Short mmCIF file of all heavy atoms in Angstrom, two decimals:
data_model
loop_
_atom_site.label_atom_id
_atom_site.label_comp_id
_atom_site.label_asym_id
_atom_site.label_seq_id
_atom_site.Cartn_x
_atom_site.Cartn_y
_atom_site.Cartn_z
N GLY A 1 105.49 106.73 113.74
CA GLY A 1 106.44 107.65 113.23
C GLY A 1 107.92 107.26 113.60
O GLY A 1 108.76 108.15 113.46
N TYR A 2 108.11 106.07 114.05
CA TYR A 2 109.46 105.62 114.41
C TYR A 2 110.27 105.22 113.10
O TYR A 2 109.70 104.72 112.20
CB TYR A 2 109.41 104.38 115.31
CG TYR A 2 108.76 104.60 116.66
CD1 TYR A 2 108.33 103.50 117.38
CD2 TYR A 2 108.57 105.90 117.21
CE1 TYR A 2 107.64 103.68 118.60
CE2 TYR A 2 107.88 106.08 118.41
CZ TYR A 2 107.53 104.88 119.13
OH TYR A 2 106.88 105.16 120.29
N PRO A 3 111.58 105.54 113.11
CA PRO A 3 112.37 105.13 111.93
C PRO A 3 112.58 103.65 111.92
O PRO A 3 112.69 102.99 112.94
CB PRO A 3 113.71 105.88 112.23
CG PRO A 3 113.78 106.03 113.69
CD PRO A 3 112.35 106.29 114.18
N LEU A 4 112.64 103.12 110.72
CA LEU A 4 112.76 101.67 110.52
C LEU A 4 114.32 101.28 110.36
O LEU A 4 114.57 100.13 110.17
CB LEU A 4 112.04 101.24 109.30
CG LEU A 4 110.53 101.23 109.35
CD1 LEU A 4 109.93 100.62 108.14
CD2 LEU A 4 109.99 100.55 110.61
N GLY A 5 115.14 102.32 110.40
CA GLY A 5 116.55 102.04 110.20
C GLY A 5 116.95 102.09 108.75
O GLY A 5 116.16 102.16 107.87
N LEU A 6 118.25 101.97 108.51
CA LEU A 6 118.77 102.08 107.15
C LEU A 6 118.44 100.77 106.40
O LEU A 6 118.41 99.72 106.84
CB LEU A 6 120.30 102.22 107.19
CG LEU A 6 120.83 103.60 107.60
CD1 LEU A 6 122.32 103.60 107.74
CD2 LEU A 6 120.45 104.68 106.60
N ILE A 7 118.10 101.03 105.11
CA ILE A 7 117.82 99.97 104.14
C ILE A 7 118.84 100.13 102.97
O ILE A 7 119.19 101.24 102.60
CB ILE A 7 116.37 100.02 103.60
CG1 ILE A 7 115.49 99.71 104.73
CG2 ILE A 7 116.21 99.07 102.41
CD1 ILE A 7 113.95 99.94 104.38
N TYR A 8 119.41 99.01 102.50
CA TYR A 8 120.38 99.05 101.42
C TYR A 8 119.92 98.37 100.18
O TYR A 8 119.42 97.27 100.22
CB TYR A 8 121.70 98.37 101.95
CG TYR A 8 122.38 99.18 103.05
CD1 TYR A 8 122.02 98.98 104.35
CD2 TYR A 8 123.48 100.00 102.73
CE1 TYR A 8 122.69 99.66 105.36
CE2 TYR A 8 124.14 100.68 103.77
CZ TYR A 8 123.75 100.53 105.05
OH TYR A 8 124.37 101.16 106.06
N PHE A 9 120.05 99.10 99.05
CA PHE A 9 119.79 98.52 97.75
C PHE A 9 121.08 98.37 96.97
O PHE A 9 121.94 99.20 97.01
CB PHE A 9 118.85 99.47 96.86
CG PHE A 9 117.44 99.53 97.39
CD1 PHE A 9 116.53 100.42 96.78
CD2 PHE A 9 117.00 98.75 98.42
CE1 PHE A 9 115.22 100.53 97.23
CE2 PHE A 9 115.63 98.83 98.90
CZ PHE A 9 114.78 99.77 98.29
N ASN A 10 121.18 97.28 96.18
CA ASN A 10 122.25 97.13 95.20
C ASN A 10 121.77 97.54 93.85
O ASN A 10 120.76 96.96 93.35
CB ASN A 10 122.64 95.63 95.22
CG ASN A 10 123.66 95.31 94.14
OD1 ASN A 10 124.41 96.17 93.80
ND2 ASN A 10 123.67 94.08 93.67
N LYS A 11 122.38 98.52 93.28
CA LYS A 11 121.97 98.98 91.96
C LYS A 11 122.66 98.06 90.90
O LYS A 11 123.90 98.08 90.78
CB LYS A 11 122.45 100.47 91.76
CG LYS A 11 121.91 101.07 90.44
CD LYS A 11 122.27 102.55 90.42
CE LYS A 11 121.71 103.24 89.17
NZ LYS A 11 122.00 104.61 89.09
N VAL A 12 121.86 97.21 90.27
CA VAL A 12 122.39 96.29 89.31
C VAL A 12 122.34 96.79 87.88
O VAL A 12 123.07 96.22 87.02
CB VAL A 12 121.63 94.93 89.41
CG1 VAL A 12 121.82 94.35 90.81
CG2 VAL A 12 120.17 95.14 89.17
N ALA A 13 121.56 97.80 87.59
CA ALA A 13 121.48 98.41 86.31
C ALA A 13 120.72 99.73 86.43
O ALA A 13 120.23 100.05 87.54
CB ALA A 13 120.71 97.52 85.29
N LYS A 14 120.58 100.47 85.35
CA LYS A 14 119.84 101.73 85.47
C LYS A 14 118.43 101.46 85.81
O LYS A 14 117.66 100.72 85.15
CB LYS A 14 119.89 102.48 84.06
CG LYS A 14 119.27 103.83 84.13
CD LYS A 14 119.41 104.58 82.80
CE LYS A 14 118.79 105.97 82.84
NZ LYS A 14 118.89 106.67 81.56
N GLU A 15 118.02 102.06 86.92
CA GLU A 15 116.67 101.95 87.45
C GLU A 15 116.30 100.47 87.80
O GLU A 15 115.11 100.05 87.81
CB GLU A 15 115.61 102.48 86.49
CG GLU A 15 115.75 103.98 86.27
CD GLU A 15 115.53 104.77 87.59
OE1 GLU A 15 114.45 104.62 88.21
OE2 GLU A 15 116.46 105.58 88.01
N LYS A 16 117.30 99.65 88.13
CA LYS A 16 117.08 98.32 88.57
C LYS A 16 117.81 98.02 89.80
O LYS A 16 119.05 98.25 89.89
CB LYS A 16 117.50 97.28 87.48
CG LYS A 16 116.61 97.21 86.29
CD LYS A 16 115.21 96.65 86.58
CE LYS A 16 114.35 96.55 85.39
NZ LYS A 16 112.98 95.99 85.65
N PHE A 17 117.15 97.56 90.86
CA PHE A 17 117.74 97.35 92.16
C PHE A 17 117.44 95.99 92.81
O PHE A 17 116.42 95.38 92.44
CB PHE A 17 117.25 98.46 93.16
CG PHE A 17 117.41 99.90 92.63
CD1 PHE A 17 116.33 100.49 91.96
CD2 PHE A 17 118.60 100.57 92.79
CE1 PHE A 17 116.46 101.76 91.45
CE2 PHE A 17 118.69 101.81 92.28
CZ PHE A 17 117.67 102.44 91.61
N GLU A 18 118.28 95.57 93.72
CA GLU A 18 118.09 94.35 94.58
C GLU A 18 118.21 94.82 96.02
O GLU A 18 119.03 95.68 96.29
CB GLU A 18 119.09 93.27 94.26
CG GLU A 18 119.00 92.66 92.85
CD GLU A 18 120.09 91.58 92.72
OE1 GLU A 18 121.07 91.59 93.57
OE2 GLU A 18 119.96 90.79 91.80
N VAL A 19 117.37 94.27 96.88
CA VAL A 19 117.48 94.57 98.27
C VAL A 19 118.72 93.86 98.89
O VAL A 19 118.80 92.68 98.78
CB VAL A 19 116.24 94.20 99.10
CG1 VAL A 19 116.42 94.45 100.59
CG2 VAL A 19 115.04 94.91 98.54
N LEU A 20 119.66 94.62 99.42
CA LEU A 20 120.83 94.02 100.17
C LEU A 20 120.50 93.75 101.60
O LEU A 20 120.75 92.74 102.15
CB LEU A 20 121.98 94.93 100.01
CG LEU A 20 122.96 94.73 98.88
CD1 LEU A 20 124.06 95.84 98.90
CD2 LEU A 20 123.64 93.37 98.89
N ASP A 21 119.97 94.79 102.25
CA ASP A 21 119.58 94.71 103.60
C ASP A 21 118.37 95.41 103.85
O ASP A 21 118.17 96.64 103.52
CB ASP A 21 120.68 95.34 104.54
CG ASP A 21 120.45 95.21 105.99
OD1 ASP A 21 119.60 94.35 106.37
OD2 ASP A 21 121.06 95.94 106.83
N GLY A 22 117.29 94.75 104.41
CA GLY A 22 115.97 95.38 104.66
C GLY A 22 114.85 94.58 104.06
O GLY A 22 113.67 95.07 104.15
N GLN A 23 115.11 93.42 103.47
CA GLN A 23 114.00 92.73 102.79
C GLN A 23 112.91 92.24 103.71
O GLN A 23 111.79 92.22 103.40
CB GLN A 23 114.56 91.58 101.92
CG GLN A 23 115.14 90.43 102.67
CD GLN A 23 114.21 89.20 102.71
OE1 GLN A 23 113.03 89.29 102.34
NE2 GLN A 23 114.76 88.06 103.08
N GLN A 24 113.34 91.95 104.96
CA GLN A 24 112.32 91.53 105.94
C GLN A 24 111.37 92.66 106.25
O GLN A 24 110.13 92.48 106.30
CB GLN A 24 112.99 91.05 107.25
CG GLN A 24 113.94 89.90 107.09
CD GLN A 24 113.30 88.58 106.87
OE1 GLN A 24 112.14 88.40 107.30
NE2 GLN A 24 113.99 87.67 106.26
N ARG A 25 111.88 93.88 106.40
CA ARG A 25 111.06 95.04 106.72
C ARG A 25 110.23 95.44 105.53
O ARG A 25 108.99 95.71 105.63
CB ARG A 25 112.02 96.23 107.07
CG ARG A 25 112.56 96.07 108.54
CD ARG A 25 113.70 97.04 108.79
NE ARG A 25 114.95 96.56 108.17
CZ ARG A 25 116.03 97.36 108.02
NH1 ARG A 25 116.04 98.53 108.46
NH2 ARG A 25 117.12 96.80 107.46
N ILE A 26 110.86 95.45 104.33
CA ILE A 26 110.11 95.83 103.10
C ILE A 26 108.95 94.83 102.79
O ILE A 26 107.87 95.15 102.52
CB ILE A 26 111.11 95.88 101.91
CG1 ILE A 26 111.91 97.17 102.05
CG2 ILE A 26 110.34 95.84 100.56
CD1 ILE A 26 112.95 97.32 100.96
N THR A 27 109.24 93.52 103.03
CA THR A 27 108.26 92.55 102.79
C THR A 27 107.12 92.63 103.83
O THR A 27 105.95 92.52 103.44
CB THR A 27 108.80 91.08 102.84
OG1 THR A 27 109.90 91.01 101.91
CG2 THR A 27 107.79 90.00 102.57
N SER A 28 107.44 92.94 105.05
CA SER A 28 106.37 93.24 106.06
C SER A 28 105.50 94.35 105.65
O SER A 28 104.25 94.25 105.73
CB SER A 28 107.06 93.55 107.38
OG SER A 28 107.81 92.44 107.87
N ILE A 29 106.10 95.50 105.23
CA ILE A 29 105.30 96.60 104.78
C ILE A 29 104.38 96.22 103.61
O ILE A 29 103.19 96.44 103.64
CB ILE A 29 106.23 97.73 104.41
CG1 ILE A 29 107.00 98.29 105.58
CG2 ILE A 29 105.38 98.87 103.79
CD1 ILE A 29 108.13 99.21 105.30
N GLY A 30 104.93 95.61 102.64
CA GLY A 30 104.22 95.20 101.44
C GLY A 30 103.07 94.24 101.74
O GLY A 30 101.98 94.30 101.16
N ARG A 31 103.39 93.28 102.62
CA ARG A 31 102.37 92.30 103.01
C ARG A 31 101.16 92.94 103.71
O ARG A 31 100.00 92.60 103.47
CB ARG A 31 102.99 91.22 103.89
CG ARG A 31 103.60 90.10 103.11
CD ARG A 31 104.45 89.12 104.02
NE ARG A 31 103.71 88.79 105.26
CZ ARG A 31 102.89 87.81 105.32
NH1 ARG A 31 102.45 87.15 104.33
NH2 ARG A 31 102.31 87.54 106.55
N TYR A 32 101.54 93.98 104.52
CA TYR A 32 100.39 94.59 105.23
C TYR A 32 99.56 95.47 104.29
O TYR A 32 98.31 95.44 104.36
CB TYR A 32 101.01 95.46 106.40
CG TYR A 32 99.90 96.11 107.23
CD1 TYR A 32 99.02 95.27 108.03
CD2 TYR A 32 99.62 97.48 107.18
CE1 TYR A 32 98.03 95.87 108.75
CE2 TYR A 32 98.61 98.01 107.93
CZ TYR A 32 97.80 97.19 108.74
OH TYR A 32 96.82 97.71 109.48
N VAL A 33 100.22 96.26 103.50
CA VAL A 33 99.49 97.15 102.58
C VAL A 33 98.67 96.44 101.67
O VAL A 33 97.52 96.85 101.20
CB VAL A 33 100.51 98.10 101.86
CG1 VAL A 33 99.81 98.91 100.76
CG2 VAL A 33 101.11 99.04 102.87
N THR A 34 99.06 95.16 101.30
CA THR A 34 98.25 94.38 100.35
C THR A 34 97.40 93.38 101.01
O THR A 34 96.81 92.52 100.35
CB THR A 34 99.23 93.63 99.36
OG1 THR A 34 100.17 92.78 100.09
CG2 THR A 34 100.01 94.58 98.42
N GLY A 35 97.15 93.54 102.29
CA GLY A 35 96.16 92.81 102.95
C GLY A 35 96.48 91.37 103.39
O GLY A 35 95.60 90.55 103.60
N LYS A 36 97.78 91.11 103.51
CA LYS A 36 98.21 89.71 103.86
C LYS A 36 98.13 89.41 105.38
O LYS A 36 98.09 88.24 105.76
CB LYS A 36 99.62 89.47 103.36
CG LYS A 36 99.86 89.57 101.81
CD LYS A 36 99.01 88.54 101.10
CE LYS A 36 99.37 88.59 99.56
NZ LYS A 36 98.97 89.85 98.93
#
């Protein structure tokens, strides 16, 4: 239940985003949830 800190998205279009800061954390989460 610890916070992961702020994550920043760049909004490049309506409902389209790029990760500005936090891609290491997001990739870690996604890799774990998908069994990597």
Side-chain angles (χ1 to χ4, degrees):
Y2 298 163
L4 294 184
L6 288 172
I7 292 172
Y8 292 82
F9 288 175
N10 173 27
K11 187 174 183 179
V12 294
K14 185 177 180 179
E15 295 298 303
K16 289 291 183 182
F17 307 94
E18 293 178 344
V19 176
L20 268 177
D21 183 19
Q23 69 105 346
Q24 302 285 333
R25 286 166 283 168
I26 287 175
T27 304
S28 296
I29 295 168
R31 274 171 45 82
Y32 184 68
V33 171
T34 56
K36 300 296 188 298

